[in-house]
Amino acid sequence: MILVLRALGVGDLATAVPALRALRAAYPDEELALAAPAWLAPLVDLVGAVDRLLPTDGLGPPPWPPAPVAVNLHGRGPQSHRMLAGAGRLLAFRCPQAGHLDGPPWRPGEHEVARWCRLLAWYGIPADRADLALRRPAPDRAPAGVTIVHPGGKVPEKRWPAARFAALARELAGRGHRVVVTGSADERDLAGRVAAGAGLPAGAVLAGATDLGELAALVAGARLVVSGDTGVGHLATAYGTPSVLLFGPVPPAEWGPPPDRPRHRVLWAGAGDWSGSAGVDSPPTMAALPVEPVLAAVDQAEEAVRIPGAVAA
C-alpha cells in the first residue's frame, strides 16, 4: 500500500492532484490510500488516482498501521512526519526534528502545486504540474450556465467585502448572467446578504444547499466563477470554467491558477494602485480592491473563451 497524507481542504486536494497522479503512475500495481477528511470523498473520486480514502481529520495519532511506502503531502513539520512513522520508506521534506534527514528542503513562497511535484522529483518520480483537471461529475440536478459568486472562505482576511460582492452580482445580473451565490452552511447568512444586496431572488442562494459533489458539478457546468482565494476557485481551474479570483493577502504566485490560462483571471490586492478605494490600509487589504477592475477581469475571462486555441484547463 502507498499511504498519502493530505488531511486538509478542497484547494489543498486540488493542488495535490498532479502529485497523486504521479504516484499512481509510479506504483501502478499498488493500492494508493489517501488520508484526508471524509467529507472530501466526492472530490477524491473525481481525482481518478486514489483507490481508498482513509478518513482523517487533521493531525493526531495515526489510525492505521505502518505502510510499506508513505508520502507526506500534508506539510513539512514533525507532527505530520510522525503520523507516518514506521513506514518502510517515507517520501517527505527534510525534517530533522522528526528524525527524517532525507528529502529536499522546504522553500517558503513556492507555489503549492510545484512544491509537491518537486518533492516527488527528488525521489525520482516525475509529475506534471499542469495535470490539474478533474473528472467531470454527472450533472444530476445542477443548473448549467450559471454565474457563481462565492463570497466566503475559511480565512476572513482573504474575503472581499460582502457589499462589493453584492454590487458585482447586481451588475452581472443586469448584464444577463444567471447569478447564484454559493458557500458552506455556515456562510448562508453571508450569501443571503450578498444576494439581497444584489436584488437576487431567495432561490439564488445555494450556500449550504449543495454537497461537495454537487458543487463540483455546478462549477463544471457554470458560465463563470468569481471568488476569493478558496477551494471553489481551484475547482474552476480544474474544469476550465472561466473565473475571476481575488487574492490577498497571500499572493497568487503561491496558490493561483497557472498563468498561461487566460480564462482564469487573477486580481491581487497586494498589487496595483487601488488608492482611490475606501477602506485602504497600508499594506493594501482586500477592502482596497474596487468593483471596476473585477468587472474588467470578467470581460477578459469571457473573451478568452472565444479565442480559438485558448487553453481551457
Side-chain angles (χ1 to χ4, degrees):
M1 179 178 75
I2 312 302
L3 172 61
V4 182
L5 176 63
R6 186 73 168 165
L8 296 163
V10 172
D12 307 281
L13 177 58
T15 51
V17 166
L20 290 169
R21 296 220 175 107
L23 289 167
R24 174 76 288 157
Y27 297 97
D29 299 323
E30 300 289 340
E31 179 186 43
L32 197 154
L34 175 65
W39 60 270
L40 285 175
L43 197 59
V44 171
D45 289 342
L46 299 173
V47 173
V50 177
D51 298 307
R52 179 158 56 108
L53 176 64
L54 298 176
T56 307
D57 290 313
L59 303 180
W64 52 72
V69 177
V71 186
N72 188 352
L73 297 185
H74 188 96
R76 61 173 173 171
Q79 195 173 2
S80 57
H81 280 58
R82 287 168 184 154
M83 282 189 75
L84 302 172
R89 185 186 186 203
L90 175 61
L91 281 57
F93 282 103
R94 187 175 305 143
C95 183
Q97 302 98 311
H100 183 70
L101 304 180
D102 188 20
W106 184 272
R107 291 178 184 167
E110 185 173 18
H111 193 282
E112 191 70 2
V113 175
R115 169 172 288 134
W116 305 112
C117 293
R118 180 172 64 88
L119 171 66
L120 295 186
W122 175 275
Y123 291 100
I125 300 174
D128 179 4
R129 61 179 296 178
D131 187 14
L132 295 166
L134 293 171
R135 291 175 174 174
R136 299 187 76 84
D140 295 328
R141 296 169 293 146
V146 299
T147 287
I148 297 170
V149 170
H150 190 94
K154 290 186 297 185
V155 181
E157 291 79 10
K158 292 183 178 183
R159 294 180 181 178
W160 201 37
R164 304 258 173 99
F165 267 115
L168 175 74
R170 179 182 290 276
E171 177 64 25
L172 292 176
R175 295 181 178 188
H177 288 248
R178 187 153 55 101
V179 179
V180 297
V181 187
T182 57
S184 67
D186 292 341
E187 294 166 346
R188 187 165 180 84
D189 287 346
L190 170 63
R193 284 189 280 115
V194 169
L200 301 176
V205 178
L206 300 184
T210 61
D211 65 19
L212 185 53
E214 292 166 337
L215 179 62
L218 188 70
V219 172
R223 172 180 176 177
L224 174 74
V225 171
V226 183
S227 81
D229 173 17
T230 191
V232 72
H234 294 282
L235 293 180
T237 300
Y239 290 117
T241 300
S243 63
V244 175
L245 307 181
L246 314 179
F247 273 74
V250 177
E254 296 182 20
W255 284 90
D260 62 345
R261 303 185 185 188
R263 65 176 60 194
H264 306 300
R265 313 300 297 188
V266 174
L267 294 174
W268 180 30
D273 179 13
W274 317 122
S275 57
S277 301
V280 175
D281 297 319
S282 181
T285 65
M286 291 301 289
L289 180 62
V291 174
E292 290 75 14
V294 181
L295 286 168
V298 167
D299 292 338
Q300 292 165 356
E302 294 210 295
E303 178 62 28
V305 177
R306 296 186 283 269
I307 298 175
V311 177

